[in-house]
């Protein structure tokens, strides 16, 4: 029987693991891999203490830090497929690799995954011109014309990644404004190879073998047109990975676990959540780590009180 099982090992999960070990909480951590979504970022400039660091290097540092505490039972390369609450108030957890764990408290740090457009051609051309990670795939589109879908930070950062490769970058924004950081907005708006298409939604992705064009619609006039592009970068946000606690805790309309932001406790006082899976307003690595620490300190008060 564990006092705590942490699920996930991005910034939230790793921070939770380090603090749980230091607070002598009997803990297991289950994760498929380390780093979370930011592992694909080439240049993170707002992780406190690092002027600049790649997502891969940050993931390795977090992994090494966590593994410096052998008190944590680490189940790497695994994932949770089921959580059941027992009659005594504890939880049984079943993993993909067939492991069974018992715990008093759960810390959910499962993050989120990329949101998709769900339009004709998206699935068919996934990996053949349709991509979800500019950091990974921008070099494949050297001297090509591409469209980036979205108007937030993720989309604008994708545009910046493409500056050195694509010869033409369209930005399809559903609304009338960009929503990203002002510094990044300015970079995008003044770049000569960028054309921003406001009130624009993709309707279809077309091609033969690979992407050759997209059909776009102006959502104010309903007029449609075709753009000749060889790449579609979809950057429209994320879906919280909260399915494993559906029915156990309150989940809002966006799929986020609703938490008390003083403690990070969910509607079940034995289940805590931090990071992008929670209903935190700002999805940032530093905030995810801080909220996870807050959760562990809240759990520690309960665990040690009962001993």
């Amino acid at each position: 029987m564990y006092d705590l099982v942490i699920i996930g090992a991005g910034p939230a999960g790793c921070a939770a693991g380090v603090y749980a070990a230091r607070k002598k909480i009997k803990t297991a951590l289950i994760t498929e891999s380390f780093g979370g979504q930011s592992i694909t970022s080439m240049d993170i400039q707002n992780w406190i203490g690092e002027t600049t660091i790649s997502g891969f290097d940050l993931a390795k540092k977090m992994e090494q830090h966590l593994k410096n505490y052998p008190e944590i039972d680490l189940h790497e390369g695994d994932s949770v497929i089921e959580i059941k609450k027992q009659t005594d108030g504890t939880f049984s957890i079943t993993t993909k690799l067939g492991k069974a764990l018992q715990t008093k408290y759960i810390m959910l740090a499962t993050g989120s995954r990329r949101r998709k457009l769900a339009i004709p051609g998206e699935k068919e051309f996934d990996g053949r011109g349709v991509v979800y990670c500019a950091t990974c795939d921008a070099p494949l589109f050297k001297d090509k014309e591409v469209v980036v879908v979205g108007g937030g930070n993720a989309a604008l950062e994708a545009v910046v990644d493409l500056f050195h490769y694509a010869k033409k970058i369209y930005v399809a924004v559903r609304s009338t404004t960009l929503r990203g950081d002002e510094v990044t907005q300015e970079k995008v708006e003044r770049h000569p190879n960028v054309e921003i298409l406001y009130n624009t939604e993709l309707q279809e992705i077309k091609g033969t073998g690979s992407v050759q064009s997209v059909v776009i619609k102006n959502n104010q006039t309903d007029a449609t047109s075709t753009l000749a592009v060889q790449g579609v970068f979809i950057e429209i946000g994320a879906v919280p990975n909260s399915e494993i606690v559906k029915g156990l805790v309150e989940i809002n309309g966006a799929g986020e676990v609703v938490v008390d932001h003083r403690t990070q406790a969910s509607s079940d006082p034995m289940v805590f959540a931090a990071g992008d899976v929670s209903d935190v307003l700002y999805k940032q690595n530093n905030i995810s780590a801080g909220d996870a620490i807050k959760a562990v300190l809240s759990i520690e008060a309960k665990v040690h009180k009962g001993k």
Side-chain angles (χ1 to χ4, degrees), residues 4 19-20 22-25 105 272 294-306:
L4 172 64
Y19 266 71
R22 293 180 63 83
K23 293 298 181 180
K24 305 298 182 184
I25 301 171
Y105 293 90
F272 292 70
K294 188 196 309 178
V296 171
L297 295 178
S298 301
I299 293 167
E300 180 208 9
K302 293 172 176 285
V303 168
H304 288 168
K305 184 178 179 180

Side-chain angles (χ1 to χ4, degrees), residues 71-111:
E71 299 92 338
I72 295 286
D73 287 346
L74 180 59
H75 300 267
E76 190 176 356
D78 204 353
S79 59
V80 173
I81 60 173
E82 186 178 44
I83 301 172
K84 286 185 178 180
K85 187 153 191 176
Q86 307 300 301
T87 55
D88 64 357
T90 63
F91 299 91
S92 65
I93 296 175
T94 304
T95 75
K96 182 176 65 176
L97 297 181
K99 297 176 183 177
L101 289 75
Q102 306 293 317
T103 186
K104 297 173 185 176
Y105 293 90
I106 290 172
M107 166 70 198
L108 194 67
T110 48

